[in-house]
């Protein structure tokens, strides 16, 4: 009797396992992804300087909406004296339509040594995917917005007034997969207003090194048409970072 019960019990347990976990079972899709990257540079000898940059991106993408937050930080010092300190926060919420999406966006910048120490931009508009294949993705956005710029202090203007302007924001975001583990991404954004115009190119090359680890080279170029006295029109930031993706 025992010899009959033992095989029967094993068969019953195996049958229960198959019933609980069907052969075509798949893990539910994860709507949340995150990226964390950082880079550090140290120079010693004739020049003693150090620099650090970091970036965190959070994305929550569902069938009807997409929420995205990006935080960037840049810091540099030379001979124990801070020469650069900049923080950027970008927030965007998309509501998906049958064709395209409606978005609301906020861009905030705090720059200790920039031509503008505080920049706040709010915009709304419409976007759509012009291309959406495995290798190539291109999305376009357009909409009105409001911009607040606080210029840095200068010899000519020790207490500058903030610039407030209604703008038109247009953006193009492209992602090109070169190979299975390498890709190029570029965001081109133009903000046109009565008082000032800006053009920003954020471009990077990403190469997957091991599983969720990747090496990333980035270039951020921003051109501002009207800048305070003794300030340059173009700001360029180049980064060499190690990136990790949470899925």
């Amino acid at each position: 009797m025992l010899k009959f019960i033992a095989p029967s019990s094993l068969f019953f347990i195996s049958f229960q396992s198959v019933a609980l976990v069907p052969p075509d079972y798949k893990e539910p899709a994860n709507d949340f992804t995150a990226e964390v990257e950082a880079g550090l540079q140290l120079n010693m000898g004739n020049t003693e300087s150090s620099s650090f940059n970091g970036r965190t991106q959070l994305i929550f993408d569902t069938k009807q909406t997409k929420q995205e937050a990006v935080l960037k930080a840049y810091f540099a010092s030379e001979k124990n004296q801070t020469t650069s300190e900049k923080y950027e926060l970008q927030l965007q919420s998309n509501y998906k339509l049958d064709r395209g999406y409606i978005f609301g966006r906020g861009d905030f910048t705090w720059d200790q040594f920039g031509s503008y120490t505080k920049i706040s931009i709010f915009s709304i508009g419409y976007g759509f995917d012009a291309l959406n294949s495995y290798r190539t993705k291109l999305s376009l956005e357009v909409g009105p917005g409001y911009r607040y710029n606080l210029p840095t202090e200068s010899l000519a203007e020790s207490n500058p007034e903030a610039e407030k302007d209604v703008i038109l924001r247009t953006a193009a975001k492209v992602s090109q997969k070169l190979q299975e583990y390498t890709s190029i991404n570029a965001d081109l954004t133009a903000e046109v207003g009565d008082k000032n115009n800006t053009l920003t190119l954020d471009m990077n090359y990403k190469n997957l090194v091991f599983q969720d680890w990747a090496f990333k080279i980035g270039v951020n170029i921003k051109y501002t048409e009207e800048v305070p006295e003794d300030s340059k029109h173009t700001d360029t930031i180049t980064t060499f970072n190690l990136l990790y993706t949470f899925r």
Side-chain angles (χ1 to χ4, degrees):
M1 185 69 178
L2 290 174
K3 292 182 179 179
F4 174 77
I5 293 175
S8 300
S9 301
L10 291 174
F11 174 79
F12 180 72
I13 293 173
S14 301
F15 179 78
Q16 275 192 322
S17 301
V18 173
L20 292 175
V21 184
D24 58 348
Y25 173 79
K26 294 182 180 180
E27 291 290 338
N30 187 7
D31 298 328
F32 176 79
T33 58
E35 289 184 353
V36 177
E37 65 180 83
L40 179 64
Q41 178 177 318
L42 297 174
N43 297 327
M44 300 184 67
N46 294 323
T47 302
E48 297 181 4
S49 65
S50 63
S51 64
F52 169 83
N53 78 88
R55 173 182 169 274
T56 300
Q57 180 185 44
L58 306 175
I59 298 178
F60 186 69
D61 192 357
T62 64
K63 185 177 180 181
Q64 196 65 52
T65 63
K66 180 181 179 180
Q67 319 295 333
E68 182 176 0
V70 179
L71 176 62
K72 301 178 182 179
Y74 305 94
F75 176 84
S77 65
E78 186 172 347
K79 295 182 179 180
N80 297 325
Q81 183 177 357
T82 302
T83 57
S84 176
E85 187 176 357
K86 182 179 180 181
Y87 306 95
E88 295 181 358
L89 175 62
Q90 301 167 356
L91 303 172
Q92 181 162 333
S93 178
N94 298 347
Y95 181 79
K96 300 177 183 179
L97 306 173
D98 292 337
R99 292 187 176 181
Y101 55 90
I102 298 173
F103 71 87
R105 182 179 177 90
D107 294 84
F108 310 94
T109 301
W110 298 268
D111 194 348
Q112 185 76 11
F113 299 90
S115 56
Y116 291 94
T117 57
K118 292 182 181 180
I119 301 175
S120 299
I121 302 172
F122 302 91
S123 60
I124 58 174
Y126 173 77
F128 67 97
D129 294 329
L131 295 173
N132 190 6
S133 65
Y134 173 74
R135 287 191 173 273
T136 306
K137 296 181 180 180
L138 172 64
S139 62
L140 305 175
E141 296 179 351
V142 61
Y146 173 80
R147 179 174 57 203
Y148 171 93
N149 288 349
L150 182 61
T152 187
E153 297 182 0
S154 61
L155 296 176
E157 190 65 45
S158 58
N159 189 21
E161 293 185 0
E163 299 177 0
K164 302 174 183 180
D165 202 4
V166 176
I167 64 169
L168 176 65
R169 176 183 175 273
T170 57
K173 303 179 181 180
V174 60
S175 176
Q176 178 66 47
K177 186 180 284 291
L178 303 178
Q179 295 178 355
E180 182 65 24
Y181 303 109
T182 60
S183 63
I184 292 180
N185 306 280
D187 295 351
L188 182 63
T189 304
E191 297 163 358
V192 180
D194 291 335
K195 298 181 180 179
N196 210 340
N197 302 317
T198 64
L199 184 64
T200 305
L201 174 63
D202 193 356
M203 189 173 181
N204 66 75
Y205 168 83
K206 185 164 60 174
N207 183 29
L208 189 66
V209 179
F210 177 74
Q211 291 184 348
D212 295 326
W213 291 93
F215 177 69
K216 181 179 175 182
I217 302 175
V219 177
N220 183 281
I221 303 173
K222 182 176 181 180
Y223 173 81
T224 305
E225 187 174 6
E226 300 292 336
V227 295
E229 188 177 354
D230 301 327
S231 297
K232 296 182 179 180
H233 293 275
T234 303
D235 291 319
T236 303
I237 300 175
T238 304
T239 57
F240 302 87
N241 292 348
L242 189 63
L243 180 146
Y244 182 78
T245 303
F246 299 87
R247 303 181 189 278

